[in-house]
Amino acid sequence: MAVLNATLDVVMSESTFNSVLVVFLSCLFASIFGISSAWIVTFSNIPFKKWIQWLLIMPLAIPPYVMAYVSKGFFDPFGTLDQWTGIHLDISNIVVLSLLISLVLYPYVYTPLRASLAQQSASLIEAAKIAGYRSQWKMMRLILPMHRTALVGGLLLVGLESLNEYGAPAYFGVKTYTTEIIRYWDPMNLQYSVSHALVALIFVGLLLYLESRTRLKSHTSDKLGRKVQDMEASMKSSLGFAVCITLLAIAFAAPVLQMLFWSGKNLGLFFESSFLMTTGYTFMLALSSGLILLLTSVLLSYFIYMFKNYSLAKLSFIANLGYAIPGAIIGIGVLIPIAWLNESTDILLTGTAGLLIGAYCMRYQSVAFNTVEGTLKKIPVSQLEASLSLGRSRIGSLRSVILPQMKPALMGALLLVFVDITKELPLTMLFQRFNQETLAVKAFIMMDTDGAFYKASVPSLAIVFLGVLSIIALRYLDSKDE
Amino acid sequence: MSSTLEIQEVCKSFTKGTEVLSSASLTLRENEIGVLIGPSGSGKSTLLRSIAGLEIPDSGSISIAGKCVNDARTYLEPSDRQVGFLFQDFALFPHLTVEQNIRFGLHGVDKRVASDRVQKYMQLCSISELKSRYPHQISGGQQQRVALARALATEPVMLLLDEPFSNVDENLKAQIRTDMVELIRASKTTALIVVHDIEDAYAIADKISVLIEGRVAQSASPEELYSSPASSGVASVTGEVNLLSAKASSFGFTCAIGELDQPHDLEAGQGATLVIRPEDLNLEKEGDWTVEEMRYSGIGYLVKCINNLERVSVFVSAAELPAVNDRVGFKVHRMHWIVND
């Protein structure tokens, strides 16, 4: 009853208002950045197009809380802007927060939309041109609805990620579901934590429902014929170039340069034993979770591949929900059974590395699984059948035929999960061991500690660096795939 | 000679409730090359895959070399059936070289024996010079020979080939077909080959089995199949043919062409379907038929004639070629008939 009452209170609370507004504004801004950049690189002939095309993914390497931190350091009193011009701005409000989140999350919209636009039939564009569609605006209104599935899919990710975000709103003092779940995370107040999680879960369900409703049931893309990607982009656009460059400068180059500048003054920190310990601990957590996820993903997807088993495919769908559910809610989901175990067995399980790894595995199962399964699907079943008919067992076939062909994808999946875990904040905040911090937690705590503000750029930069590395590596694997 | 393959009343339906195989039966003797043919969706590949153990039949039994590999109580894993399978896409392992691909099935065989075996089959399939290349570095025809060598190297009791000619260049097909049959005969292996082109079947088979709606409608030598198809369904997959409905009379048959003299043992008035090949008809200058269209086929012309919605095709040489809309008749000098049920 207490939980129900608390839940009803949460529905009408400030955190509901803030969470909805953050999700809405982040999606709005991200669609402006994502659509315009995808449109420009697809349809206009800008200089360095090949480079810009994939540099536009880079902001994804910066976690929102790092973006919030850098911006504060820039605009706050005594910040960089103040030093240059004597002007400082208070940016700790919900609109700027959403803007900053969308600046690093818009690649979720940009990437699928660009891929989808590239596959658009060229003759349709040409037909529209013949029919007199001259302005870009009119053309957009004609073409974009056909790519609704990619667009909405990307926006869903932006929405879920901004709902999941802990660091940035906490840093800006904006109360959201995620910040409240973590704030009440203690035995005395746990019911508030749980009730926030319940409401947030309903919100997630609503987002998923909206996405499934707007998804196109079928899309009539003719497999034959020329695609937009084969078309010569005729329109030279210096405005388009300026838009892309500005976006890249604000969302990636400026924050990275700013952090490089700050950490340049704190180089010694890189070699301090505590920093090395933190890095080591983070690597251990991320690597062991990554390996576990790889193993479970390989086994699950291999079972589906072998038997084309529908009920298992359903199971994978459930496992995959993890990514849709914000980390803080997963934390509650993990905590409740553990708390029950604690009561009955009296073993203190909370706050162990094992528990944290388990929670990571729940949340990132889908990231690993989708990468692994996506690649496995491309291997013709005849490969397995040939191996079986040549006398190998199913496990033997996995080892000697299937896995060797999946090496790049396995590396890719490991890398993706590794980087996601390295920058993960809410789950880590819930289950971290006393005095053992990950890079993300360390960065987050230092940002908020007087005297350590600029030093926080060191772990932050380490996280961003890993993110950039993973994007480059995946890009390389992708090009090899082609 | 003993039979290498014995399939009895195999049934298989997939989840949607459609029966792909309904009581299919088939036998192949040792060293025989059998061909499975039938319209698409007739269950050819499913039957072949059931023999290899890649599909599990719902009922029926399959024996290979006298050993039951599948019945109500038995299911032998593909790896334990000692059959070689040549996949439509060849299924070469892209991460292994040609030599490693061929050696793949010799896992657990004594090293020296395995090496000798690999050498032998690479030579037999003339791919020795490709041994250190990867599959993507060789041509389609070469890939097929590697796949065949890989399947043969395990010295299987029988070889199953799923549409081996569907991915080869039309110009090279005849040559590849001949080469492949020679290789299979040289290795003294029983083989069952799924094809979709009747020309291929005639060229390579000792025995052709026609699969129609999941059932083996006829198994016969190419000559017998061509001259005496067991049903109109079988006749329609055996090449260009005229199927005419007819009634038996005391002297022969009455059909759209007219009254045909032909001794038979049917009762007068009984219905039958006449199977008349275009080359077993001659064109006559007078009659009730109208020339509708003509198609050049290299050796001569296939002339299609129409009369009251009935159509008859006849093969003629350039010398006797009529013009479109000419009135013509026919003289039949050979026919086969199928008694209507």
Side-chain angles (χ1 to χ4, degrees):
Chain A
M1 223 31 226
V3 172
L4 188 66
N5 277 335
T7 306
L8 286 176
D9 285 345
V10 172
V11 175
M12 306 303 296
S13 70
E14 186 189 348
S15 46
T16 294
F17 177 77
N18 287 346
S19 298
V20 172
L21 197 61
V22 167
V23 168
F24 174 75
L25 287 176
S26 302
C27 285
L28 179 72
F29 294 140
S31 52
I32 294 173
F33 300 142
I35 292 172
S36 55
S37 54
W39 189 268
I40 290 164
V41 296
T42 307
F43 291 107
S44 48
N45 188 9
I46 54 172
F48 310 109
K49 184 164 160 173
K50 274 219 155 103
W51 282 94
I52 288 176
Q53 206 157 287
W54 77 272
L55 277 174
L56 280 165
I57 308 170
M58 280 300 177
L60 208 55
I62 304 179
Y65 56 89
V66 170
M67 191 66 176
Y69 151 72
V70 179
S71 311
K72 239 176 144 87
F74 187 82
F75 290 107
D76 265 10
F78 309 108
T80 310
L81 185 69
D82 199 358
Q83 284 168 19
W84 288 348
T85 61
I87 302 168
H88 58 82
L89 295 166
D90 180 17
I91 58 164
S92 293
N93 62 63
I94 200 160
V95 178
V96 177
L97 172 70
S98 309
L99 185 70
L100 294 175
I101 290 177
S102 67
L103 274 174
V104 294
L105 294 186
Y106 81 84
Y108 282 135
V109 176
Y110 163 78
T111 312
L113 185 61
R114 184 177 72 82
S116 182
L117 284 173
Q119 293 299 311
Q120 161 84 50
S121 140
S123 43
L124 206 140
I125 308 268
E126 282 155 0
K129 277 185 185 160
I130 293 167
Y133 277 65
R134 264 197 240 160
S135 82
Q136 288 287 305
W137 180 241
K138 266 179 105 175
M139 197 66 115
M140 257 192 196
R141 286 194 20 201
L142 173 75
I143 302 293
L144 278 182
M146 298 180 209
H147 300 274
R148 206 164 65 189
T149 306
L151 181 61
V152 177
L155 281 176
L156 176 73
L157 280 178
V158 173
L160 292 171
E161 280 291 304
S162 53
L163 187 66
N164 175 53
E165 179 60 22
Y166 167 71
Y171 194 59
F172 272 32
V174 174
K175 283 184 192 167
T176 65
Y177 292 138
T178 301
T179 64
E180 296 305 280
I181 291 170
I182 293 172
R183 190 157 74 95
Y184 289 120
W185 188 262
D186 63 69
M188 298 297 288
N189 294 307
L190 200 60
Q191 66 187 48
Y192 297 108
S193 209
V194 173
S195 47
H196 276 92
L198 276 177
V199 180
L201 201 57
I202 295 167
F203 190 33
V204 169
L206 194 72
L207 287 178
L208 289 173
Y209 173 74
L210 282 176
E211 191 262 350
S212 71
R213 280 299 301 273
T214 32
R215 204 185 300 152
L216 288 176
K217 291 285 176 291
S218 63
H219 61 128
T220 48
S221 142
D222 42 354
K223 292 216 161 56
L224 298 166
R226 255 152 35 96
K227 303 274 163 51
V228 163
Q229 61 186 0
D230 311 318
M231 258 167 80
E232 186 77 37
S234 50
M235 185 187 54
K236 271 207 168 118
S237 169
S238 33
L239 178 69
F241 181 66
V243 169
C244 290
I245 288 296
T246 313
L247 187 59
L248 270 175
I250 295 174
F252 188 72
V256 168
L257 283 175
Q258 176 72 87
M259 279 191 288
L260 278 173
F261 177 71
W262 287 338
S263 55
K265 294 179 184 165
N266 296 287
L267 275 180
L269 192 67
F270 274 113
F271 306 103
E272 270 178 27
S273 65
S274 72
F275 181 77
L276 292 175
M277 289 265 287
T278 307
T279 311
Y281 180 62
T282 311
F283 270 56
M284 186 279 286
L285 282 178
L287 202 63
S288 27
S289 317
L291 291 174
I292 292 171
L293 284 173
L294 220 51
L295 186 72
T296 51
S297 304
V298 165
L299 289 181
L300 185 59
S301 54
Y302 187 55
F303 263 87
I304 296 171
Y305 177 77
M306 254 190 320
F307 300 117
K308 296 170 207 123
N309 192 323
Y310 188 61
S311 48
L312 267 171
K314 263 187 201 158
L315 186 75
S316 76
F317 168 75
I318 295 168
N320 284 339
L321 264 183
Y323 198 66
I325 298 171
I329 302 181
I330 288 193
I332 298 273
V334 172
L335 182 87
I336 290 172
I338 296 295
W340 176 79
L341 266 180
N342 269 353
E343 255 177 358
S344 52
T345 62
D346 217 26
I347 303 167
L348 191 72
L349 278 171
T350 41
T352 66
L355 194 59
L356 192 49
I357 289 172
Y360 284 150
C361 288
M362 280 177 72
R363 174 141 167 82
Y364 293 111
Q365 181 65 64
S366 63
V367 178
F369 178 80
N370 288 338
T371 317
V372 170
E373 208 224 0
T375 312
L376 190 55
K377 262 190 196 157
K378 286 189 210 147
I379 300 178
V381 183
S382 60
Q383 292 271 317
L384 170 65
E385 293 173 341
S387 171
L388 291 175
S389 75
L390 288 166
R392 296 291 171 97
S393 66
R394 288 173 199 278
I395 291 295
S397 304
L398 175 66
R399 205 170 46 103
S400 48
V401 173
I402 305 295
L403 287 184
Q405 295 186 46
M406 291 178 63
K407 259 188 213 154
L410 295 180
M411 283 307 295
L414 187 64
L415 202 65
L416 270 178
V417 173
F418 186 90
V419 171
D420 264 346
I421 291 177
T422 310
K423 61 183 188 187
E424 211 286 338
L425 205 49
L427 263 183
T428 319
M429 294 292 283
L430 294 182
F431 290 115
Q432 64 170 320
R433 259 162 108 178
F434 185 65
N435 258 350
Q436 272 206 313
E437 293 152 350
T438 66
L439 277 174
V441 174
K442 195 171 188 81
F444 183 67
I445 291 176
M446 286 165 91
M447 290 171 194
D448 230 5
T449 309
D450 286 334
F453 183 85
Y454 294 113
K455 281 187 184 168
S457 63
V458 174
S460 303
L461 208 56
I463 294 168
V464 174
F465 175 72
L466 280 172
V468 170
L469 211 64
S470 79
I471 291 174
I472 293 174
L474 287 175
R475 158 94 197 151
Y476 169 74
L477 291 177
D478 238 26
S479 66
K480 240 176 107 179
D481 210 26
E482 279 158 23
Chain B
M1 272 190 287
S2 61
S3 75
T4 294
L5 177 70
E6 200 157 345
I7 302 175
Q8 280 178 348
E9 300 181 343
V10 163
C11 296
K12 170 83 184 169
S13 55
F14 290 106
T15 37
K16 281 170 191 164
T18 48
E19 201 162 51
V20 182
L21 293 176
S22 52
S23 202
S25 301
L26 180 72
T27 55
L28 267 189
R29 282 174 315 184
E30 202 176 329
N31 296 346
E32 205 170 22
I33 294 185
V35 161
L36 261 183
I37 194 164
S40 43
S42 59
K44 299 173 300 226
S45 289
T46 310
L47 187 58
L48 200 72
R49 291 166 57 80
S50 302
I51 301 167
L54 301 171
E55 303 284 356
I56 307 174
D58 302 331
S59 62
S61 70
I62 302 172
S63 301
I64 299 171
K67 186 164 125 193
C68 174
V69 296
N70 213 148
D71 64 12
R73 269 163 296 166
T74 325
Y75 167 71
L76 222 59
E77 284 282 336
S79 46
D80 302 327
R81 293 196 180 198
Q82 284 185 285
V83 295
F85 202 106
L86 193 75
F87 292 85
Q88 207 173 348
D89 62 355
F90 313 142
L92 293 178
F93 305 129
H95 60 298
L96 301 179
T97 61
V98 166
E99 190 180 6
Q100 288 166 334
N101 261 288
I102 296 168
R103 192 184 288 269
F104 188 88
L106 302 173
H107 191 60
V109 175
D110 177 71
K111 257 194 178 165
R112 200 176 306 148
V113 177
S115 298
D116 289 348
R117 206 83 80 73
V118 172
Q119 291 308 324
K120 177 181 159 189
Y121 285 98
M122 284 203 300
Q123 264 170 18
L124 185 70
C125 300
S126 5
I127 43 172
S128 301
E129 71 281 11
L130 307 173
K131 66 178 185 182
S132 39
R133 304 252 196 105
Y134 284 91
H136 67 270
Q137 296 170 319
I138 59 179
S139 74
Q142 290 168 332
Q143 286 180 8
Q144 188 171 44
R145 272 183 283 154
V146 174
L148 187 63
R150 184 178 71 178
L152 287 172
T154 59
E155 306 201 328
V157 178
M158 74 171 301
L159 195 60
L160 304 168
L161 300 94
D162 192 4
E163 303 208 5
F165 312 119
S166 62
N167 276 339
V168 296
D169 194 282
E170 200 60 38
N171 299 323
L172 301 171
K173 195 161 117 175
Q175 188 59 43
I176 286 175
R177 210 165 58 185
T178 317
D179 289 351
M180 183 174 274
V181 173
E182 266 172 24
L183 285 172
I184 294 171
R185 291 211 192 275
S187 66
K188 295 201 169 60
T189 313
T190 313
L192 185 61
I193 308 176
V194 167
V195 302
H196 66 246
D197 188 344
I198 190 69
E199 301 295 323
D200 293 333
Y202 289 145
I204 59 180
D206 296 324
K207 182 179 184 178
I208 301 175
S209 299
V210 182
L211 207 59
I212 290 171
E213 291 178 348
R215 190 187 290 267
V216 177
Q218 189 174 10
S219 276
S221 70
E223 297 81 0
E224 192 189 338
L225 192 75
Y226 190 80
S227 61
S228 327
S231 67
S232 42
V234 172
S236 63
V237 300
T238 56
E240 199 72 53
V241 71
N242 298 302
L243 297 173
L244 298 169
S245 53
K247 268 208 164 63
S249 61
S250 51
F251 53 86
F253 293 100
T254 310
C255 68
I257 295 178
E259 315 220 310
L260 305 174
D261 286 339
Q262 173 71 42
H264 60 71
D265 49 7
L266 305 181
E267 282 174 32
Q270 205 174 344
T273 302
L274 298 184
V275 180
I276 305 171
R277 299 281 172 188
E279 66 271 22
D280 293 340
L281 286 161
N282 278 351
L283 216 52
E284 306 242 291
K285 293 259 181 241
E286 279 164 24
D288 303 330
W289 295 74
T290 309
V291 175
E292 191 183 29
E293 71 173 82
M294 286 174 293
R295 197 174 76 210
Y296 184 56
S297 73
I299 319 166
Y301 290 84
L302 193 70
V303 176
K304 288 194 176 175
C305 307
I306 185 167
N307 179 22
N308 283 334
L309 298 177
E310 288 266 12
R311 281 188 169 77
V312 167
S313 298
V314 52
F315 204 69
V316 299
S317 65
E320 20 174 23
L321 193 66
V324 172
N325 289 334
D326 276 3
R327 304 285 285 177
V328 294
F330 304 105
K331 185 177 165 68
V332 179
H333 47 86
R334 189 163 57 178
M335 73 178 92
H336 168 72
W337 64 94
I338 301 161
V339 181
N340 288 352
D341 292 331

